[in-house]
Amino acid sequence: MSITAKVLSSSGAATDHALRGDYNEIAADYSVPQDMSRYAPEHHRLWRFLFDRQVKLAKTHACKPFLDGLRDLDVADGVPDFERANKILRKATGWELLAVPGLIPNDAFFDHLAHRRFPVSWWIREENEIDYLVEPDVFHDFFGHVPLLSHPVFADYMQIYGQQGVAAMAAGEVKRLSRLYWYMVEFGLIKDADGLRAFGAGILSSYGETRHAVESPEAYRIGFDLKRILRSEYRLDQYQAVYFVLDDFQQLFDASRGDLLPIYGELAALPDIKATDRLAEDRPI
Ligand code: HBI
Ligand code: FE
């Protein structure tokens, strides 16, 4: 099997087309060097366009730890140099970034997280796909995911998630656990001192979804519930129908740290919940 076929079959990838990245020069852990000379002026210009548009909106729509982390990274000028960011991250929480060609298989992805390494796609999207792309690029991965890695509790949560991923693979429960990544790390909301704010990377790297998730009366927002999340299907190609809202990151960490096998066992007897379902026991926010 080719490398990209292996990645596609085991990454939970949302794609039915060939992967964009070049997987020919990867190391055993799927990393590649981030060669800054590969970025042309138009790539930096596109980063600045996305960055400026998103940072304005984030000021009123993102939670404070995200904004603090983003400010400390100081990446307004162009596609960030991961080594420079690593100096900041290592000092803050011990995390580091590693460049990858795109999606990587689940086992490699979970192993990196379990060791406090976050894989970041090095390439940036094209001008004609500013608002929607299928695979994660450097703007999604870096702007969306990296700022919160400097928050101590969220940083610990991401490592726990990687460890849970390794355990879920052994138990054949990756599909269920992936819903936790989706509804929290990608599409999570939090209620903080400023009100309802976003922290998920899928939200905060998207102009449209940031407004939809935080402002839209059509969005269904309910209190965090681990079992409800693990049972809930999700949408790949539309804004989410439901968002889960944390009280704080400690709540997420506490719910996710124990042995999840008994919970998977309990949920096996229950039906999945459709992405658009609204249940009587939900706690609307
Ligand atoms: N690879 N680069 C990359 N980024 C991801 O977010 C990612 C991945 N491989 C697998 C994967 N995600 C999923 O396993 C999880 O999100 C559950
Ligand atoms: Fe992501």
Side-chain angles (χ1 to χ4, degrees):
M1 184 161 46
S2 73
I3 286 174
T4 53
K6 173 168 155 51
V7 173
L8 278 171
S9 66
S10 112
S11 68
T15 60
D16 54 6
H17 60 82
L19 290 164
R20 180 184 301 195
D22 179 359
Y23 288 76
N24 288 313
E25 307 151 50
I26 50 170
D29 66 355
Y30 286 84
S31 67
V32 290
Q34 184 197 23
D35 178 358
M36 293 304 291
S37 73
R38 282 189 290 197
Y39 302 113
E42 73 251 31
H43 296 130
H44 291 298
R45 210 177 316 121
L46 183 53
W47 171 277
R48 284 194 299 274
F49 170 82
L50 293 164
F51 184 93
D52 291 346
R53 185 175 70 157
Q54 213 51 32
V55 91
K56 281 195 200 97
L57 192 58
K59 291 210 162 72
T60 48
H61 289 63
C63 68
K64 186 157 186 302
F66 177 92
L67 295 170
D68 291 346
L70 186 61
R71 180 204 55 217
D72 293 348
L73 288 163
D74 183 23
V75 289
D77 291 345
V79 180
D81 179 338
F82 301 168
E83 259 324 301
R84 183 169 164 273
N86 281 345
K87 296 201 174 75
I88 298 164
L89 277 178
R90 282 194 201 102
K91 210 183 293 172
T93 57
W95 273 80
E96 59 182 70
L97 311 180
L98 143 142
V100 290
L103 289 169
I104 64 175
N106 284 331
D107 55 350
F109 184 70
F110 294 142
D111 183 67
H112 283 309
L113 298 186
H115 293 90
R116 292 172 101 89
R117 296 186 298 260
F118 193 79
V120 176
S121 286
W122 68 265
W123 51 269
I124 193 160
R125 66 195 69 183
E126 307 277 330
E127 302 263 359
N128 62 7
E129 47 185 0
I130 296 269
D131 289 313
Y132 182 74
L133 84 167
V134 181
E135 294 172 65
D137 74 339
V138 66
F139 187 74
H140 167 81
D141 278 341
F142 196 109
F143 185 95
H145 287 285
V146 178
L148 268 187
L149 293 175
S150 55
H151 184 275
V153 179
F154 191 83
D156 287 352
Y157 166 74
M158 287 294 280
Q159 178 175 23
I160 290 280
Y161 180 84
Q163 294 166 353
Q164 294 292 9
V166 174
M169 284 198 72
E173 295 283 2
V174 171
K175 182 173 174 215
R176 213 180 264 298
L177 182 72
S178 300
R179 295 167 174 168
L180 180 59
Y181 194 88
W182 190 263
Y183 279 115
M184 287 285 107
V185 177
E186 297 292 354
F187 293 99
L189 297 176
I190 189 165
K191 223 175 6 176
D192 70 9
D194 301 312
L196 185 75
R197 296 287 176 122
F199 70 88
I203 299 178
L204 289 171
S205 60
S206 158
Y207 189 80
E209 188 132 9
T210 297
R211 302 200 56 179
H212 174 79
V214 177
E215 293 172 22
S216 171
E218 262 105 77
Y220 181 54
R221 306 177 188 87
I222 60 180
F224 173 79
D225 177 338
L226 178 69
K227 290 180 189 171
R228 166 72 155 92
I229 289 175
L230 295 177
R231 290 178 60 198
S232 297
E233 295 172 354
Y234 54 76
R235 290 171 156 186
L236 290 168
D237 49 7
Q238 293 173 72
Y239 295 155
Q240 299 308 302
V242 57
Y243 299 90
F244 293 85
V245 184
L246 289 178
D247 297 324
D248 52 38
F249 292 122
Q250 193 66 44
Q251 179 185 27
L252 175 60
F253 179 81
D254 290 343
S256 314
R257 66 190 305 185
D259 182 1
L260 298 181
L261 290 187
I263 296 181
Y264 300 142
E266 182 189 326
L267 299 184
L270 300 173
D272 280 349
I273 299 167
K274 295 272 171 249
T276 53
D277 281 353
R278 300 186 176 200
L279 308 185
E281 59 268 31
D282 290 338
R283 296 178 294 117
I285 301 294

